[in-house]
């Protein structure tokens, strides 16, 4: 049985029908699931012959999504009051306008439909939408909407959706025995029949990494420290690291895999000093620890086993605070 109901399908269909045009956008620093979700919504709007703008604040740092960058813009077309009144805003893979990034446009007041799967998310005031934290990827939800509204996906769209699902499930290694996981595997089996190629997608996600990312992995592993009797590992990237090795194509997924595979480790944190006064952080865990609780203490959020944050501060002062919050739940 699908996690979508007929009411859910009717809700998005009505939203599409009552608007003349649309804006589609996901979170800043997009990943594969964000990009795939946006393109999946665009495919649905193409079927209904509705015009749209695909927006992203970027940057497109990840090697596997660079080929999609030309499909997006960070410069929205101007709209007068009448046009705004007939324009629908689709936000996917996040729900907070604050996470959309630095785009010169006022999104507030637009009729909004959110499609998301993050545990800490909620619908913005007056927004419509569908949020299901049991879904492992936003692209998975988009697939179900497409099939409910239109039918089987064309090969090109099936490949994109499969790519998005693989990104957020770690090529399915984050799934466990559950009705939701069964439905995901059934859904990706359908994508395979539509033409999605698992081997091709795996190679696109994991191969072709820039040499500097291999060097940076070595730096980050060498710098990693254990806390809380070895249950927590934290490592970080400095401004000097970024200047020396670049900011393109970081392979954080490989970093988390290596850290979490360490004996006794239950959670791993990667901090990056983005500017002299601001940091971003990624939080990952095994089954036991809910890292979204810690991320929320620093203005972030996400899933139980994968969350992120962005806040003011410096690495050397943030680390003790992060360790203190983890000590409360580990």
């Amino acid at each position: 049985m699908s996690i979508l109901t007929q009411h859910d399908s009717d809700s998005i269909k009505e939203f599409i029908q009552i608007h003349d045009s649309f804006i589609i956008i996901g979170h800043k620093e997009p990943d594969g699931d964000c990009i795939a979700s946006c393109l999946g919504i665009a495919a649905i709007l193409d079927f209904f012959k509705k015009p749209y703008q695909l927006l992203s604040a970027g940057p497109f740092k990840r090697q596997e999504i660079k080929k999609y960058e030309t499909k997006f813009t960070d410069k929205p077309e101007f709209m007068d009051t009448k046009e705004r009144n007939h324009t629908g805003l689709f936000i996917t893979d996040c729900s907070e306008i604050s996470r959309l990034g630095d785009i010169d446009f006022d999104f507030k007041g637009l009729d909004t439909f959110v499609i998301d799967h993050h545990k800490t998310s909620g619908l913005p005031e007056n927004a419509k939408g569908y949020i299901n934290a049991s879904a492992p990827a936003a692209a998975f939800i988009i697939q179900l909407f497409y099939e409910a509204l239109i039918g089987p996906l064309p090969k090109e769209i099936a490949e994109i959706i499969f790519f998005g699902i693989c990104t957020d499930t770690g090529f399915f290694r984050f799934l466990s025995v559950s009705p939701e996981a069964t439905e995901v595997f059934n859904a990706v089996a359908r994508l395979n029949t539509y033409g999605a190629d698992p081997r091709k997608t795996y190679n696109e996600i994991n191969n072709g990494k820039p040499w500097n990312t291999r060097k940076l992995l070595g730096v980050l592993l060498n710098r990693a420290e254990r806390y809380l009797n070895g249950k927590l590992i934290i490592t970080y990237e400095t401004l000097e690291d970024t200047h020396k090795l670049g900011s393109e194509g970081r392979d954080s997924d490989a970093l988390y895999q290596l850290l979490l595979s360490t004996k006794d480790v239950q959670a791993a944190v990667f901090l990056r000093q983005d500017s002299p006064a601001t940091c971003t952080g990624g939080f990952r865990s095994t089954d036991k620890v809910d890292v979204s609780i810690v991320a929320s203490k620093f203005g972030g959020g996400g899933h139980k086993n994968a969350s992120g944050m962005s806040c003011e501060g410096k690495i050397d002062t943030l680390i003790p605070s992060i360790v203190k919050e983890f000590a409360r739940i580990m």
Side-chain angles (χ1 to χ4, degrees), residues 9-10 12-13 16 44 47-48 144-151:
S9 301
D10 291 342
I12 190 173
K13 186 175 182 179
I16 292 171
I44 293 173
F47 177 83
F48 286 97
L144 299 184
F145 272 126
Y146 192 105
E147 290 172 325
L149 295 173
I150 302 168

Side-chain angles (χ1 to χ4, degrees), residues 83-155:
E83 289 170 325
R84 286 180 64 90
N85 290 338
H86 292 85
T87 296
L89 171 65
F90 273 110
I91 299 176
T92 187
D93 204 30
C94 74
S95 63
E96 307 91 344
I97 289 179
S98 62
R99 291 195 63 210
L100 302 183
D102 187 15
I103 290 184
D104 187 17
F105 189 84
D106 181 13
F107 295 103
K108 294 179 180 179
L110 284 179
D111 198 11
T112 302
F113 197 101
V114 173
I115 301 175
D116 195 16
H117 69 122
H118 290 96
K119 178 183 176 183
T120 53
S121 294
L123 288 174
E125 187 177 359
N126 299 321
K128 306 173 185 65
Y130 180 87
I131 298 177
N132 191 325
S134 69
F140 167 59
I141 299 173
I142 303 299
Q143 176 188 350
L144 299 184
F145 272 126
Y146 192 105
E147 290 172 325
L149 295 173
I150 302 168
L153 282 67
K155 181 176 183 292

Side-chain angles (χ1 to χ4, degrees), residues 23 36 67 89 115 125 144 160 218 247 250 264 269 272 274:
I23 290 173
K67 66 179 181 179
L89 171 65
I115 301 175
E125 187 177 359
L144 299 184
I160 292 170
S247 61
R250 286 187 184 88
D264 297 327
V269 177
R272 184 175 73 238
D274 286 328

Side-chain angles (χ1 to χ4, degrees), residues 190-237:
R190 296 194 300 274
L191 292 176
N192 184 245
T193 67
Y194 303 152
D197 184 337
R199 178 184 293 181
K200 175 184 175 184
T201 302
Y202 182 88
N203 288 335
E204 287 177 349
I205 293 174
N206 293 286
N207 295 345
K209 304 294 186 183
W211 171 245
N212 280 357
T213 66
R214 311 298 93 184
K215 301 285 285 185
L216 182 58
L217 272 176
V219 171
L220 298 177
L221 289 171
N222 187 58
R223 191 176 284 151
E225 295 288 346
R226 294 186 295 175
Y227 300 86
L228 304 179
N229 297 317
K231 292 183 289 187
L232 172 68
I233 294 181
I234 300 179
T235 190
Y236 58 89
E237 177 182 333

